[in-house]
């Protein structure tokens, strides 16, 4: 007969573990700690066949409990982490990293730095090679903290100004921090991944020391290397850099192109549209229209005056020139079923008029062109505007009335 | 006992053996250093002995450790267990005579001692660097890994492998595989032939002795006391004297990491009794604690059931003759009779009685009986709303269920938590070998630190001592005014008189199973699945399962057995009738 129900060490510890997990899910930290004290003796038994052994369990559970328990302190936490480091060689660097994160979250920058330095000097036979990725991360974070020191020192120097007493030691230290930081930051951003913070810091360093070429190269790599995951921020950083460098509109526009593809609702799309509208190239202007329409597809932009004014300006310009009405028609085609309810309802007309006259003005213009002078939105707003004797609304009314046939051509 | 030297102190030749296997003079109690093995001169001629002798001489030089054999270790364990039982109230005879004699008999039969040639193979313990002079040796020496796998105790493969590999690097001889002299050989012995001693078997020994003396402790109680820590079992080796070093393979033999199961201990006991060629055990009569009539009283009380039910259990016992001396008394080696598990049997009788009276089909006991009871009370005490007859209450199954279920759930929950909180490691650390000693101690230190750290955070006071051993796990007091004690309740509500006999109003009965399985083939008489049976029935099984700390299926088996005996004629008739029809 099988003795599956036999209570043995393993089952007893499994049961203990499930009690711990229940307690944690219910945020009963005292109870979780209580059961953990009974679980820890599992360390004396080797579970190397299991996917997750007791030492890893204890590390993770212990960390959670110490983070949330009201009576635990950073001192206790540090003590715990030191013990965890001794428990598993294969996990050593990971534990170090997590410890560092916790220290940083608690503002203990110096301790974090010390831990990182210590971890960096760790060597353990073939484990060193196996844990190569973690080591890179450790170096990267140390680089980040070096940057942070550099930044502080830079600010000190700038405060004192060129005529203030230039503290040579501070300056030297600053340069040394730069060197340390640069080396490590450069290394980590070579690895495909998302390194926004590291990239920003590195570029900041490079710009300060005038190495714009390197900076440009780094940013281009980060944005365009297909091995790296698609990252909108990469393009933003590149754009911002190019802008700072005073690059041509052409390169600025090309930097934002992919961003439009990935995140059509990005705030930089306004700038993008503005640049595109002004372009002499027809294709670019066409793209601009596409961009601004796409932006307003998103609920977050519904009440943004700038966005509407961009659209209004461009639409108005097209209508006046009587060229490229088909562009509007194309953009409107996929939107005519839902934009009226989304943007131009009577309710919204009232709301916009009450809350933001400028918004209602811009929207009314667009509505008038796209939906004609008889649409709810335009009628309401223009009526209100004329009643209030605001000049531009009268102008608007005239304009839309004059160009009403356009609407017929668009909608047809 | 062929030791014929004269005593150094008193010149008498009157020798006895101490627990440690040394000769002592019965007249003046002078203990010698001579152990029984030394006496046998055949011993010396075996070439392999010399290898051992070398080893032991080395040990003697250090003067700290002594050489000890595995059976000595077990002897110590038994001694400790017997002392604990004595402390619980068992008569001293158990330790001094019964258990001791059983043990001696065992040693003799398994040729470990008290015989002419103490298993000459004992000498052939494993050595890494073999002397080349053994032509007559055994086929292949089993590898260390193979030995490790022979033991029943669960190890973990990695530790075993690392131990094995560390051992192979050593070039010493013998005794390094274990602290005991014959640890490695012990595991090699063919278990079936000579009934190799194991830790669970120590409990079989104890139970056998208790049964022989007809002490009022059932096997389930014994095992419960073991788990509760009143009887040494887990980590009992910490009571070994300092000189007896435990390491290596000894750990496989003496360290257990699981609680023994009723079936396991019971079956081993039967095997043991047969192996020792014991005669028929002392009679279990109706004045014995283990007699179903007596045990039923205890269990009825513990289950908070009316005392009146005892009449019924006695009736059932009598009807199917399970109270007969010949049925109850153990006759070792007799394979034809089904062996009696007294506690389970008594519990099953109660279950059957409950089925007889209350049907337990999730309907009758709740609805119908309440109706009967109400009916009676209306007739007898029409001016009162509650169910009183002169002086007492009528037993209502539903109320009983609610009260007992509540307590059971609470106790079960406590038990489950206790099990999860169980600490298996003891103060005395163990090492496979000197090599992994430092690692073990280091780990232990970390464990202690963590326990300390999180212990403070849990704010809980460490459980002081283990609770006092008690025979009753659930207790119900008549003095409770909340009416939660049902002992004094009357069954009048569900009984009726017919031809001068009290019978149940319930006319029906459902059999747990129509056909019994062949126990020898599939291990059980029936196969219990909770979903196949009414909830009330399951609850009753669960209650006794908790009290006896066994799986419900074992009680279910006994219930089936009793039912088949009880309704034997009807079943037989039915079978006969069927065959007639077919014709």
């Amino acid at each position: 007969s099988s003795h599956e129900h036999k209570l043995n060490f393993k089952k007893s510890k499994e049961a203990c573990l499930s009690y711990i997990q229940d307690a944690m899910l219910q945020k009963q930290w005292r109870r979780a700690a209580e059961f953990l004290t009974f679980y820890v003796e599992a360390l004396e038994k080797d579970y190397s066949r299991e996917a997750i052994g007791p030492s890893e369990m204890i590390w993770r559970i212990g960390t959670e409990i110490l983070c949330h328990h009201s009576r635990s302190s950073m001192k206790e936490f540090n003590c715990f982490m030191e013990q965890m480091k001794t428990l598993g060689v294969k996990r050593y660097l990971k534990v170090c990293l997590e410890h560092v994160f916790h220290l940083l979250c608690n503002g203990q920058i110096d301790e974090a730095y010390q831990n990182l330095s210590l971890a960096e000097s760790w060597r353990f036979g073939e484990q060193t090679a196996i844990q190569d990725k973690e080591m890179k991360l450790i170096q990267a974070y140390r680089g980040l903290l070096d940057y942070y020191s550099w930044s502080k020192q830079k600010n000190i120097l700038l405060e004192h100004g060129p005529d203030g007493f230039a503290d040579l030691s501070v300056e030297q230290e600053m340069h040394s921090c730069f060197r340390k930081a640069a080396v490590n930051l450069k290394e980590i951003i070579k690895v495909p991944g998302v390194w926004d913070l590291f990239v920003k810091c590195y570029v900041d360093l490079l710009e300060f020391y005038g190495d714009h070429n390197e900076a440009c190269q780094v940013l281009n790599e980060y944005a365009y290397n297909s091995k790296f995951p698609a990252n909108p921020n990469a393009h933003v950083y590149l754009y911002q850099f190019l802008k700072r460098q005073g690059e041509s509109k052409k390169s600025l526009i090309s930097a934002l192109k992919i961003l439009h593809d990935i995140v059509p609702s990005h705030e930089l799309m306004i700038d993008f549209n503005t640049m595109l509208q002004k372009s002499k190239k027809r294709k670019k202007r066409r793209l601009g229209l596409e961009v601004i329409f796409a932006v307003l597809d998103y609920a977050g932009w519904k009440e943004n005056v700038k966005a509407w004014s961009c659209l209004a300006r461009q639409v108005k310009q097209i209508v006046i020139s009587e060229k490229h009405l088909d562009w509007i028609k194309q953009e409107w085609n996929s939107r005519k079923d839902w934009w009226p309810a989304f943007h131009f309802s009577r309710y919204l007309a009232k709301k916009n008029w009450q809350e933001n006259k400028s918004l209602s003005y811009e929207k009314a213009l667009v509505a008038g062109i796209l939906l004609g002078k008889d649409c709810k939105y335009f009628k309401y707003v223009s009526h209100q505007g004329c009643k209030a004797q605001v000049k531009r609304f009268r102008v608007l009314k005239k304009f839309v009335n004059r160009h009403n046939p356009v609407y017929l051509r668009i909608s047809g | 006992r062929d030791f014929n030297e004269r005593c150094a102190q008193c010149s008498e030749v009157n020798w006895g053996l101490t627990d440690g296997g040394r000769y002592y003079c019965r007249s003046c109690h002078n203990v010698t250093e001579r152990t029984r093995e030394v006496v046998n001169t055949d011993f010396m001629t075996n070439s392999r002995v010399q290898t051992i002798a070398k080893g032991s001489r080395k040990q003697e030089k250090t003067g700290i450790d002594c050489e000890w054999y595995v059976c000595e270790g077990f002897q110590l364990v038994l001694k400790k267990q017997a002392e604990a039982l004595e402390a619980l109230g068992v008569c001293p005879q158990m330790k001094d005579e019964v258990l001791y004699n059983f043990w001696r008999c065992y040693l003799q039969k398994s040729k470990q001692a008290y015989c002419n040639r103490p298993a000459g193979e004992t000498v052939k313990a494993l050595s890494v660097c073999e002397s080349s002079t053994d032509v007559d040796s055994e086929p292949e020496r089993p590898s260390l890994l193979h030995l490790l796998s022979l033991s029943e105790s669960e190890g973990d493969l990695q530790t075993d492998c690392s131990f094995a590999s560390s051992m192979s690097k050593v070039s010493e001889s013998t005794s390094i595989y274990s602290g005991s002299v014959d640890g490695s050989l012990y595991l090699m012995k063919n278990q079936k032939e000579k009934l190799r001693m194991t830790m669970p078997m120590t409990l079989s020994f104890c139970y056998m002795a208790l049964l022989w003396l007809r002490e009022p402790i059932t096997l389930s109680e014994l095992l419960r006391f073991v788990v509760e820590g009143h009887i040494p079992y887990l980590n009992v080796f910490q009571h070994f004297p300092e000189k007896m070093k435990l390491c290596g393979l000894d750990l496989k033999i003496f360290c257990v990491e699981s609680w023994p199961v009723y079936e396991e201990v019971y079956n081993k006991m039967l095997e043991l009794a047969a192996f020792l060629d014991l005669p028929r055990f002392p009679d279990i009569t109706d004045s014995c604690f283990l007699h179903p009539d007596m045990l039923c009283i205890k269990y009825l009380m513990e289950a908070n059931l009316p005392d009146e039910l005892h009449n019924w259990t006695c009736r059932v016992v009598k009807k199917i003759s399970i109270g007969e001396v010949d049925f109850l008394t153990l006759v070792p080696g007799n394979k034809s009779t089904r062996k009696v598990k007294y506690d389970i049997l008594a519990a099953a009788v109660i279950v059957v009685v409950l089925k007889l009276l209350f049907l337990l089909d999730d309907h009758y006991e709740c609805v119908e009986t309440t109706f009967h009871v109400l009916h009676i009370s209306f007739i007898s005490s029409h001016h009162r709303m509650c169910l009183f007859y002169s002086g007492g209450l009528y037993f209502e199954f539903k109320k009983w269920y609610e009260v007992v279920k509540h307590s059971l759930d609470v106790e079960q929950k406590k038990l489950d938590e206790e099990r999860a909180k169980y600490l298996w490691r003891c103060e005395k650390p163990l090492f496979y070998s000197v090599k992994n000693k430092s690692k073990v101690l280091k780990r232990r230190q970390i464990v202690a630190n963590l326990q300390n750290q999180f212990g403070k955070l849990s704010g809980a006071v460490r459980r002081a001592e283990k609770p006092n051993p008690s025979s009753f796990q659930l207790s119900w007091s008549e003095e409770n005014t909340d009416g939660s004690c049902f002992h004094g309740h009357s069954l009048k509500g569900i009984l009726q008189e017919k031809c001068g006999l009290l019978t149940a109003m319930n006319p029906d009965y459902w059999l747990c199973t129509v056909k019994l399985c062949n126990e020898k083939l599939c291990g059980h008489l029936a196969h219990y699945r909770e979903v196949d049976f009414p909830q009330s029935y399951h609850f009753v099984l669960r209650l006794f399962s908790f009290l006896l700390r066994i799986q419900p299926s074992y009680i279910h088996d006994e219930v089936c057995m009793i039912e088949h005996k009880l309704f034997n004629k009807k079943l037989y008739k039915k079978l006969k009738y069927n065959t007639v029809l077919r014709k």
Side-chain angles (χ1 to χ4, degrees):
Chain A
S1 55
S2 72
H3 294 303
E4 293 157 349
H5 54 270
K6 196 165 170 169
L7 185 66
N8 57 19
F9 182 88
K10 190 165 173 221
K11 287 216 181 104
S12 171
K13 290 309 164 204
E14 276 169 11
C16 191
L17 203 57
S18 68
Y19 276 100
I20 296 176
Q21 287 165 343
D22 279 344
M24 280 170 66
L25 282 169
Q26 294 172 47
K27 304 201 198 287
Q28 294 172 330
W29 304 110
R30 264 183 55 182
R31 191 171 151 89
E34 188 190 342
F35 276 95
L36 188 60
T37 57
F38 296 111
Y39 180 74
V40 292
E41 64 167 10
L43 279 177
E44 297 194 34
K45 194 121 167 74
D46 191 11
Y47 279 77
S48 45
R49 271 184 290 187
E50 311 271 326
I52 299 185
S55 50
E56 187 166 351
M57 280 291 186
I58 291 170
W59 167 45
R60 295 205 182 278
I61 293 174
T63 307
E64 275 305 295
I65 295 178
L66 287 170
C67 278
H68 293 103
H69 197 287
S70 50
R71 275 201 290 136
S72 94
S73 63
M74 270 318 277
K75 187 164 160 229
E76 283 219 36
F77 188 84
N78 291 336
C79 174
F80 173 73
M81 285 309 242
E82 291 306 323
Q83 295 209 62
M84 291 299 106
K85 284 177 193 170
T86 64
L87 273 185
V89 142
K90 292 192 187 142
R91 229 179 297 123
Y92 179 79
L93 289 179
K94 236 192 244 182
V95 177
C96 285
L97 262 175
E98 289 222 13
H99 187 195
V100 163
F101 293 153
H102 281 281
L103 288 168
L104 289 173
C105 290
N106 279 276
Q108 299 189 321
I109 315 287
D110 293 331
E111 283 85 355
Y113 193 84
Q114 274 166 25
N115 272 287
L116 283 170
S117 304
L118 215 76
E120 216 179 327
S121 61
W122 180 77
R123 297 284 177 273
F124 201 94
E126 59 176 24
Q127 280 299 319
T128 324
I130 294 172
Q131 297 186 45
D132 168 65
K133 286 205 182 95
E134 285 87 345
M135 186 56 96
K136 275 214 163 73
L137 278 174
I138 286 180
Q139 287 166 333
Y141 276 96
R142 218 202 65 178
L144 205 62
L145 291 184
D146 282 325
Y147 167 84
Y148 181 66
S149 308
W150 171 86
S151 183
K152 271 201 293 194
Q153 280 148 353
K154 180 190 81 169
N155 290 337
I156 291 173
L157 283 179
L158 288 177
E159 254 176 42
H160 289 279
D163 44 282
F165 77 104
D167 193 349
L168 199 64
S169 63
V170 172
E171 200 176 322
Q172 276 182 345
E173 215 185 305
M174 186 183 100
H175 292 319
S176 120
C177 280
F178 155 69
R179 278 191 291 274
K180 285 193 280 183
V183 158
N184 284 328
L185 292 175
K186 182 172 179 167
E187 271 309 300
I188 197 68
I189 59 185
K190 279 191 199 156
V191 180
V194 178
W195 307 113
D196 290 353
L197 186 59
F198 300 90
V199 167
K200 272 179 92 170
C201 296
Y202 187 47
V203 166
D204 190 25
L205 287 172
L206 290 170
E207 280 194 88
F208 183 82
Y209 285 92
D211 194 350
H212 304 291
N213 283 334
E214 176 72 7
C216 191
Q217 207 173 354
V218 162
L219 287 169
N220 269 291
E221 260 294 293
Y222 194 52
Y224 296 117
N225 186 340
S226 55
K227 288 204 191 114
F228 283 70
N231 184 354
N233 294 332
H235 302 273
V236 173
Y237 297 155
L238 178 59
Y239 169 79
Q240 287 169 340
F241 172 76
L242 293 171
K243 200 166 169 195
R244 282 198 297 272
Q245 298 298 309
E247 293 288 329
S248 66
K249 283 278 186 301
K250 188 173 171 197
S251 39
L252 289 177
I253 284 173
S254 83
L256 287 178
K257 251 215 190 99
I258 300 188
L259 186 60
H260 162 68
D261 288 332
I262 311 176
V263 190
S265 59
H266 200 278
E267 57 183 7
L268 284 176
M269 291 300 106
I270 305 295
D271 290 2
F272 194 35
N273 168 267
T274 310
M275 283 191 286
L276 288 168
Q277 264 192 52
K278 293 194 195 139
S279 169
K280 293 201 175 75
K281 299 245 171 78
R282 196 170 10 118
K283 261 195 185 159
K284 295 237 162 64
R285 291 199 305 270
R286 175 71 186 90
L287 179 62
L289 190 66
E290 183 187 317
V291 164
I292 194 65
F293 261 103
V295 163
L296 287 166
D297 280 339
Y298 290 86
W301 289 98
K302 271 171 98 165
E303 299 191 349
N304 188 296
V305 182
K306 191 81 175 57
W308 282 107
S309 79
C310 283
L311 179 59
R313 185 172 0 117
Q314 194 162 12
V315 160
K316 185 172 175 183
Q317 197 262 326
I318 289 173
V319 164
I320 290 173
S321 73
E322 296 200 0
K323 273 203 279 194
H324 308 301
L325 283 169
D326 54 309
W327 290 358
I328 301 182
K329 186 167 176 176
Q330 278 161 20
E331 290 303 326
W332 186 234
N333 222 5
S334 57
R335 293 175 170 93
K336 62 180 185 233
D337 293 325
W338 62 281
W339 265 42
F342 191 55
H343 288 303
F344 303 126
S345 66
R346 192 173 152 78
Y347 166 75
L348 280 171
K350 276 190 179 168
K351 183 167 183 271
N352 295 153
W353 172 256
Q354 265 179 339
E355 289 171 5
N356 193 336
K357 306 271 190 297
S358 304
L359 176 68
S360 61
Y361 171 79
E362 304 289 348
K363 279 180 78 174
L365 194 148
V366 176
I369 299 294
L370 295 175
L371 292 168
K373 66 181 169 62
D374 292 320
C375 81
K376 290 181 266 193
Y377 197 93
F378 177 76
K379 266 175 99 168
Y380 180 85
V381 169
S382 63
H383 174 75
Q384 293 294 322
C386 292
K387 216 169 69 175
Q389 294 183 345
V390 181
K391 185 177 175 192
R392 57 178 176 165
F393 283 94
R394 279 210 307 271
V395 173
L396 174 66
K397 194 168 183 183
K398 274 194 212 156
F399 178 83
V400 171
N401 282 329
R402 200 176 342 132
H403 293 278
N404 200 41
V406 166
Y407 149 68
L408 294 169
R409 281 158 72 181
I410 291 171
S411 64
Chain B
R1 311 283 190 92
D2 0 28
F3 193 35
N4 283 327
E5 283 191 19
R6 286 191 175 276
C7 168
Q9 272 187 261
C10 66
S11 307
E12 292 276 316
V13 184
N14 186 6
W15 298 104
L17 268 183
T18 66
D19 284 339
R22 297 180 196 278
Y23 286 101
Y24 74 94
C25 175
R26 283 216 188 91
S27 319
C28 65
H29 297 283
N30 167 35
V31 182
T32 70
E33 291 304 303
R34 304 286 286 274
T35 57
R36 57 184 179 277
E37 286 78 24
V38 176
V39 175
N40 191 332
T41 51
D42 286 346
F43 209 78
M44 292 307 209
T45 56
N46 192 320
S47 58
R48 300 240 207 166
V49 179
Q50 273 136 25
T51 339
I52 281 209
K54 275 193 210 140
S56 64
R57 245 186 268 138
K58 272 202 190 124
Q59 280 180 328
E60 275 169 15
K61 269 191 192 150
T62 59
I64 306 171
D65 305 332
C66 72
E67 48 172 42
W68 58 279
Y69 285 77
V70 168
C71 57
E72 288 179 78
F74 277 118
Q75 193 164 308
L76 252 179
V77 171
L78 283 173
K79 180 164 167 255
K80 289 281 164 206
Q81 290 173 338
E83 282 169 3
L85 281 166
E86 209 178 312
L88 285 174
V90 170
C91 66
Q93 252 187 311
M94 146 108 182
K95 173 168 142 254
D96 298 331
E97 289 178 25
V98 180
L99 190 60
Y100 178 65
N101 282 328
F102 281 159
W103 177 243
R104 261 188 48 205
C105 187
Y106 167 77
L107 287 176
Q108 202 162 28
K109 293 249 181 216
S110 60
K111 302 200 195 312
Q112 287 175 71
Y114 298 105
C115 53
N116 283 334
R117 188 185 292 272
E121 307 96 13
T122 324
V123 175
K124 288 191 269 174
L126 294 176
S127 68
V128 178
C129 51
E130 272 266 273
S131 51
S132 48
T133 57
D134 27 278
V135 187
D136 57 316
S137 54
E138 285 337 278
E140 315 94 42
R141 244 179 327 113
S143 74
L144 184 51
L145 259 182
H146 175 59
L147 283 184
L148 290 167
S149 66
L150 284 177
S151 122
E152 292 101 6
S153 90
E154 300 109 45
D156 49 271
L157 197 57
Q158 226 228 18
T159 320
D160 288 354
C161 287
S162 64
F163 173 57
S165 63
S166 67
M167 281 297 105
S168 60
K169 291 180 197 142
V170 182
S171 57
E172 295 279 319
S173 59
T174 64
S175 331
I176 8 95
Y177 280 168
S178 60
S180 62
V181 173
D182 59 342
S184 51
L185 185 73
Y186 205 79
L187 287 175
M188 243 166 63
K189 268 199 282 187
N190 185 345
Q191 204 200 343
K192 290 238 161 72
E193 267 174 31
K194 290 177 183 161
L195 207 63
R196 186 176 81 200
M197 186 68 178
T198 61
M199 278 304 290
M201 228 161 101
T202 60
L203 297 177
S204 304
F205 264 98
C206 288
Y207 179 60
M208 198 165 67
L210 290 169
L211 184 59
W212 185 273
L213 289 165
R214 297 175 293 182
E215 286 285 334
I217 298 187
T218 58
L219 179 54
S220 52
E221 262 190 295
L222 176 69
L223 293 175
R224 181 165 63 87
F225 287 151
V226 168
V227 173
E228 288 177 0
H230 306 298
I231 297 176
Y233 182 76
L234 200 73
N235 301 328
V236 67
F237 51 80
Q238 58 186 333
H239 301 297
F240 283 8
E242 264 301 302
K243 299 187 293 175
M244 277 171 81
K245 279 278 176 279
L246 232 82
C247 69
L249 290 168
D250 301 329
L251 272 62
K252 282 284 167 182
I253 301 169
F254 288 103
C255 296
V256 277
E257 285 192 348
S258 61
W259 292 118
V261 165
Y262 188 106
E263 279 286 292
E264 194 186 339
V265 176
Y266 183 78
N267 289 336
K268 244 332 172 231
M269 191 265 304
L270 295 177
E271 243 185 279
L272 197 53
F275 179 74
L276 299 179
D277 276 329
L278 293 179
R280 177 184 162 113
F281 273 53
D283 287 346
I284 306 283
T285 59
D286 52 15
S287 57
C288 279
F289 177 77
L290 295 173
H291 191 274
D293 288 342
M294 297 291 267
L295 275 178
C296 279
I297 298 180
K298 174 172 192 269
Y299 292 149
L300 284 170
M301 266 184 76
E302 213 171 354
N304 201 11
L305 288 166
D307 301 333
E308 276 185 35
L309 280 172
H310 188 243
N311 300 332
W312 291 86
T313 62
C314 291
R315 276 169 79 173
V316 168
V317 166
K318 188 142 184 230
K319 183 110 202 256
I320 57 176
S321 310
I322 56 172
E324 304 295 308
V325 171
D326 290 330
F327 176 81
L328 292 171
T329 309
L330 177 64
V331 180
N334 182 345
K335 298 240 165 119
S336 54
T337 55
R338 187 165 189 272
K339 300 296 178 266
V340 181
K341 297 172 185 156
Y342 308 100
D343 33 20
I344 306 183
L345 184 66
V349 168
I350 297 177
V351 174
V352 169
V353 164
L354 288 174
K355 277 177 80 179
L356 281 168
L357 298 179
F358 299 102
L359 190 56
L360 295 189
D361 67 344
D362 282 345
H363 175 75
Y364 184 87
E365 70 275 12
C366 299
V367 175
E368 307 270 349
T369 55
T370 317
F371 174 73
H372 290 311
V373 169
L374 278 170
H375 184 67
I376 293 290
S377 72
F378 181 71
I379 292 172
S380 63
S381 55
H382 37 268
H383 60 282
R384 291 220 207 146
M385 283 308 289
C386 46
L387 309 161
F388 272 98
Y389 77 110
S390 52
L393 290 161
Y394 287 118
F395 178 74
E396 279 182 83
F397 188 91
K398 196 160 173 220
K399 279 215 180 105
W400 171 84
Y401 175 90
E402 277 160 18
V403 170
V404 175
K405 182 175 192 296
H406 174 77
S407 294
L408 181 62
D409 287 342
V410 167
E411 293 300 315
Q412 184 74 55
K413 186 163 176 236
K414 264 198 246 171
L415 181 65
D416 291 338
E417 279 197 18
E418 285 299 308
R419 283 187 173 151
K421 288 187 187 173
Y422 206 84
L423 284 177
W424 297 78
R425 295 279 176 261
C426 71
E427 297 296 314
K428 181 170 171 173
L430 293 168
F431 333 102
Y432 262 106
S433 63
V434 180
K435 270 198 170 187
N436 90 340
K437 181 173 179 172
S438 61
K439 186 176 174 208
V440 168
L441 286 177
K442 205 174 89 163
R443 278 274 158 128
R444 198 159 263 260
Q445 186 58 47
I446 295 179
V447 168
N449 290 344
L450 288 172
Q451 281 173 336
N452 195 18
Q453 185 173 27
F454 287 98
K456 278 197 233 138
L457 286 181
S458 68
V461 178
R462 220 27 202 106
R463 303 170 291 179
E465 317 99 33
K466 50 195 178 208
N468 285 331
S470 74
S471 201
F472 286 84
Q473 298 174 73
L474 299 171
S475 63
W476 317 90
S477 174
E478 300 254 356
E479 287 145 17
N480 281 357
T481 47
D482 59 359
S484 61
C485 179
F486 292 78
H487 294 151
H489 286 211
S490 163
L491 297 175
K492 214 166 180 184
I494 46 124
L495 298 174
Q496 62 194 355
E497 252 196 66
K498 259 188 186 165
C499 323
L501 259 182
L502 267 180
T503 57
M505 285 180 83
N506 166 37
D508 299 321
Y509 193 90
W510 54 271
L511 285 175
C512 285
T513 173
V514 175
K515 188 155 188 277
L516 294 176
C517 280
N518 186 340
E519 206 168 14
K520 291 200 174 73
L521 288 178
C522 62
H524 285 277
L525 282 176
H527 297 273
Y528 178 68
R529 281 193 322 160
E530 187 185 332
V531 294
D532 295 337
F533 291 91
Q535 268 204 9
S536 323
Y537 178 71
H538 175 68
F539 173 73
V540 170
L541 283 190
R542 183 162 86 93
L543 174 61
F544 287 106
S545 169
F546 170 80
L547 292 174
L548 300 180
R549 305 292 160 90
I550 54 172
Q551 292 290 298
S553 51
Y554 291 118
I555 308 179
H556 180 74
D557 275 358
E558 293 293 298
V559 169
C560 292
M561 186 270 289
I562 294 173
E563 285 178 346
H564 274 248
K565 281 199 165 119
L566 199 56
F567 298 104
N568 188 25
K569 291 206 190 89
K570 289 214 171 106
L571 279 170
Y572 180 65
K573 245 198 244 168
K574 189 170 185 195
L575 251 110
K576 211 170 141 199
Y577 186 60
N578 283 341
T579 48
V580 167
L581 273 179
R582 250 179 259 132
K583 279 191 193 155

